[in-house]
Amino acid sequence: MRIQGIYAALATADMDRAEKFYTQLFDRGPDDRPMEALIQWRNVAGANIQIFLDKENAGFGRLTIVVPKMDEARRALEEIGVTLTGESEGDYGRIAQIADPDGNRITLAEPPSRPFDTQRR
């Protein structure tokens, strides 16, 4: 099978509210609207993101965004009125969460300053 692209998809109950949130989060508007009730961003740090209208499943999605520095991400999020929660640190750096307006959980992950030992169990 030849794969041309992959999209992560999150459900929303309110397209306008979701578009505003993700436009602020990604610091740019959606790249296109391929069909009614679907908006998408292409190449957000190499990933493609779709937001689609699905009231029954809104709020159950998960997305991880890798950031170079958690403190810088925190400041940028505070500027748009979003607060990080549940911050913790482990073998693979620091993580913290935010939620979009529907309650979809977005985890921010800051890689460790040293290489991660993938052989360790």
Side-chain angles (χ1 to χ4, degrees), residues 4-103:
Q4 184 172 334
I6 296 176
Y7 285 80
L10 295 171
T12 184
D14 184 323
M15 290 297 288
D16 292 335
R17 185 177 65 179
E19 181 175 350
K20 181 179 177 186
F21 176 83
Y22 285 98
T23 293
Q24 290 181 309
L25 186 66
F26 300 147
D27 199 25
R28 64 183 173 100
D31 292 300
D32 52 46
R33 293 168 171 77
M35 59 186 65
E36 189 175 336
L38 174 65
I39 54 178
Q40 55 191 24
W41 284 259
R42 298 176 189 268
N43 195 21
V44 178
N48 300 304
I49 311 294
Q50 294 179 318
I51 307 298
F52 64 98
L53 185 62
D54 180 352
K55 293 178 183 181
E56 288 183 19
N57 292 301
F60 294 104
R62 302 288 180 262
L63 181 69
T64 299
I65 298 173
V66 179
V67 297
K69 300 287 181 191
M70 189 69 69
D71 294 335
E72 291 174 10
R74 179 183 295 103
R75 284 191 293 277
L77 290 168
E78 287 172 351
E79 288 178 10
I80 63 170
V82 177
T83 303
L84 285 174
T85 62
E87 191 167 337
S88 64
E89 193 162 346
D91 289 342
Y92 190 73
R94 296 164 62 185
I95 63 168
Q97 283 80 39
I98 62 174
D100 76 4
D102 290 289

